[in-house]
């Protein structure tokens, strides 16, 4: 058998092992192949000396050494490549098996059953088709929660919706490109002024989402495990290179009290379901690229105290229902594209209003 054919067969055998086992079992196979080379003459047949000169014999031996050296180099390259693939998780069967066992141990159901239950729960707040669409950010958030999140949230704990919502926020607003505390950000630091509130924990970590940078839960700001049912109250991610539309699901988190995302590149509109945020006190989204009209539901949030929406692209007329914002202290809507008559009489009736910029 020629040395080139032997090389191809050996390498084909190695990769068949890798594909079949889908695990580190391929790495020892490569080492065994190298051992085989050490004891093999790579196809040089013993034909005896009759009719063959010593020079020709030496030439065959030299060719075999060259072929053996070539095979060594190829095997070394394949060993390095396979090692890198293993380190990067290319062969994930062992990991998946371990995760399946962890799910069964923690949740008392199989991984498939858990996946089905999670999909059913999240379908109450997101479109099921988008959850199943690999190209959507909703699918990415669902897939992370289902197959990647090391915390392994059990469906029975009623923790899936909140963790999914913040994961969706991350994927929708380009979390991989955030300046601070994204999963891939170069830095994760908290300013001196915020150290009493926020922690330098990266997003998508296995810790409770209330510990992720820029998130805060008033009732229990430092839950010990991700399984504790603590409701999110604050999102503060100003000047962090957020870009994209605000996901509608965010506005279904009725526990939210403060949303601060000014000085980013937010686009799209404020959806009508913003009215579900019945506990919202501060909405600070100035210096973005938000557009459209402020929905009427926005003016039903009587808990609002600070509305800072200047320097965007909002259009339309300021609703006379602004009179419902009886607790508002700060109102800033200048540097937008709004038009029409101002509801001056209704604004003047807002007794707690200290600063107004329209």
């Amino acid at each position: 058998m020629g040395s080139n054919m032997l090389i191809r067969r050996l390498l084909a055998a190695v990769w068949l092992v890798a594909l079949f086992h889908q695990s580190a079992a391929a790495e020892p196979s490569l080492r065994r192949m190298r051992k085989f080379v050490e004891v093999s003459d790579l196809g040089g047949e013993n034909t005896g000396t009759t009719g063959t000169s010593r020079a020709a014999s030496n030439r065959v031996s030299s060719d075999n050494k060259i072929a053996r050296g070539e095979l060594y180099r190829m095997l070394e390259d394949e060993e390095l490549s396979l090692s890198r693939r293993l380190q990067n998780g290319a062969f994930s069967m062992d990991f998946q098996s371990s995760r399946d066992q962890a799910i069964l141990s923690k949740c008392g159901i199989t991984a498939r059953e858990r996946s089905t239950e999670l999909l059913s729960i999240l379908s109450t707040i997101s479109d099921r088709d988008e959850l199943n669409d690999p190209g959507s950010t909703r699918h990415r958030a669902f897939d992370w929660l289902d197959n990647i999140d090391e915390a392994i949230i059990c469906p029975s704990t009623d923790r899936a919706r909140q963790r999914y919502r913040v994961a969706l926020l991350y994927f929708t607003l380009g979390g991989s490109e955030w300046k601070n505390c994204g999963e891939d950000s170069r830095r994760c630091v908290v300013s001196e002024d915020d150290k009493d509130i926020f922690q330098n924990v990266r997003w998508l970590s296995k810790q409770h989402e209330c510990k992720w940078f820029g998130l805060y839960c008033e009732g229990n700001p430092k839950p010990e495990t991700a399984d504790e049912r603590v409701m999110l109250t604050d999102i503060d991610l100003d000047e962090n290179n957020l870009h994209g539309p605000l996901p509608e699901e965010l506005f279904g988190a009725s526990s939210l009290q403060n949303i601060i995302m000014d000085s980013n590149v937010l686009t799209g509109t404020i959806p009508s379901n913003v009215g579900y945020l019945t506990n919202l006190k501060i909405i600070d989204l100035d210096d973005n690229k938000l557009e459209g009209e402020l929905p009427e539901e926005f003016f039903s949030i009587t808990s609002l105290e600070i509305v800072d929406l200047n320097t965007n692209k909002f259009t339309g007329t300021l609703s006379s229902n602004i009179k419902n914002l009886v607790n508002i202290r700060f109102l800033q809507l200048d540097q937008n594209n709004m038009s029409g008559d101002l509801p001056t009489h209704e604004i003047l009736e807002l007794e707690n209003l200290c600063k107004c910029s329209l």
Side-chain angles (χ1 to χ4, degrees):
M1 183 186 297
S3 59
N4 288 337
M5 179 63 72
L6 179 59
I7 290 172
R8 287 195 293 270
R9 288 191 178 183
L10 285 173
L11 294 179
V14 169
W15 285 111
L16 281 174
V17 170
L19 292 173
F20 180 76
H21 290 290
Q22 293 283 290
S23 71
E27 206 164 23
S29 297
L30 281 165
R31 288 195 291 269
R32 286 196 295 273
M33 292 298 179
R34 293 190 67 181
K35 184 65 176 176
F36 174 79
V37 174
E38 292 175 2
V39 299
S40 171
D41 64 1
L42 289 176
E45 295 183 6
N46 183 11
T47 60
T49 57
T50 303
T52 303
S53 68
R54 182 178 298 275
S57 178
N58 289 340
R59 203 162 42 245
V60 171
S61 176
S62 176
D63 289 344
N64 287 342
K65 288 180 180 179
I66 293 172
R68 184 182 292 111
E70 180 182 354
L71 182 53
Y72 271 139
R73 287 190 295 274
M74 294 180 71
L75 285 174
E76 286 173 353
D77 289 343
E78 293 301 326
E79 279 184 303
L80 180 59
S81 174
L82 180 58
S83 176
R84 287 172 177 169
R85 286 165 61 84
L86 289 169
Q87 291 174 5
N88 292 333
F91 302 124
S92 58
M93 184 173 290
D94 288 345
F95 166 78
Q96 190 61 50
S97 176
S98 175
R99 184 174 176 84
D100 289 352
Q101 293 173 7
I103 290 171
L104 184 61
S105 175
K106 181 177 181 180
C107 303
I109 55 177
T110 66
R112 183 181 294 274
E113 291 170 335
R114 175 177 175 269
S115 181
T116 300
E117 289 189 29
L118 286 176
L119 179 60
S120 178
I121 291 171
L122 300 183
S123 293
T124 64
I125 58 176
S126 288
D127 182 82
R128 181 181 285 262
D129 289 340
E130 290 201 42
L131 289 169
N132 286 320
D133 179 6
S136 75
T137 55
R138 288 169 177 83
H139 174 79
R140 292 181 66 189
F142 168 48
D143 181 62
W144 174 81
L145 184 68
D146 186 20
N147 299 309
I148 301 172
D149 183 14
E150 295 180 30
I152 304 182
I153 301 300
C154 297
S156 61
T157 62
D158 196 27
R159 288 276 298 106
R161 290 182 182 88
Q162 178 169 285
R163 199 161 175 90
Y164 164 76
R165 278 191 173 104
V166 293
L168 178 59
L169 185 72
Y170 179 85
F171 289 114
T172 304
L173 299 183
S176 62
E177 299 176 14
W178 289 0
K179 292 180 181 179
N180 196 28
C181 291
E183 187 181 29
D184 303 316
S185 301
R186 291 185 178 182
R187 64 171 190 165
C188 188
V189 296
V190 178
S191 67
E192 289 294 329
D193 294 338
D194 292 334
K195 281 188 175 180
D196 292 337
I197 303 176
F198 302 119
Q199 301 178 60
N200 59 336
V201 176
R202 291 182 181 274
W203 280 61
L204 305 188
S205 80
K206 67 179 180 180
Q207 297 191 51
H208 198 292
E209 62 274 11
C210 289
K211 288 186 173 182
W212 297 356
F213 170 78
L215 301 184
Y216 182 79
C217 297
E218 189 176 74
N220 182 5
K222 297 181 180 181
E224 293 185 5
T225 72
D227 298 313
E228 294 186 48
R229 192 173 184 274
V230 185
M231 305 309 293
L232 181 66
T233 56
D234 294 59
I235 301 176
D236 189 343
L237 294 169
D238 64 313
E239 299 184 34
N240 203 27
N241 197 35
L242 280 62
H243 51 88
L246 292 167
E248 290 190 11
E249 291 85 346
L250 175 67
F251 299 96
S254 59
S255 60
L256 280 174
Q257 296 179 18
N258 303 312
I259 299 178
I260 302 172
M261 300 183 194
D262 59 287
S263 304
N264 285 292
V265 196
L266 301 180
T267 58
T269 64
I270 294 180
S272 60
N273 62 347
V274 66
Y276 292 130
L277 300 181
T278 55
N279 295 299
L280 191 64
K281 296 179 180 179
I282 299 174
I283 182 165
D284 184 358
L285 302 176
D286 69 283
D287 195 13
N288 279 286
K289 298 183 182 300
L290 295 167
E291 57 188 5
E293 297 185 18
L294 294 178
E296 284 297 315
E297 291 81 0
F298 181 84
F299 301 99
S300 68
I301 310 174
T302 57
S303 57
L304 275 171
E305 298 178 8
I306 296 176
V307 174
D308 192 357
L309 299 176
N310 68 287
T311 318
N312 278 285
K313 298 179 179 180
F314 290 115
T315 57
T317 303
L318 184 60
S319 172
S320 61
N321 285 324
I322 194 171
K323 64 184 179 182
N324 297 328
L325 305 185
V326 293
N327 292 301
I328 196 165
R329 297 182 289 108
F330 182 99
L331 175 62
Q332 193 159 266
L333 290 170
D334 59 301
Q335 298 185 59
N336 279 289
N337 298 321
M338 301 179 75
S339 59
D341 296 333
L342 290 173
T344 307
H345 178 71
E346 287 78 2
I347 293 174
L348 291 174
E349 287 186 346
L350 298 171
E351 297 179 356
N352 294 309
L353 186 61
C354 299
K355 181 177 180 179
C356 179
S357 177
L358 303 174

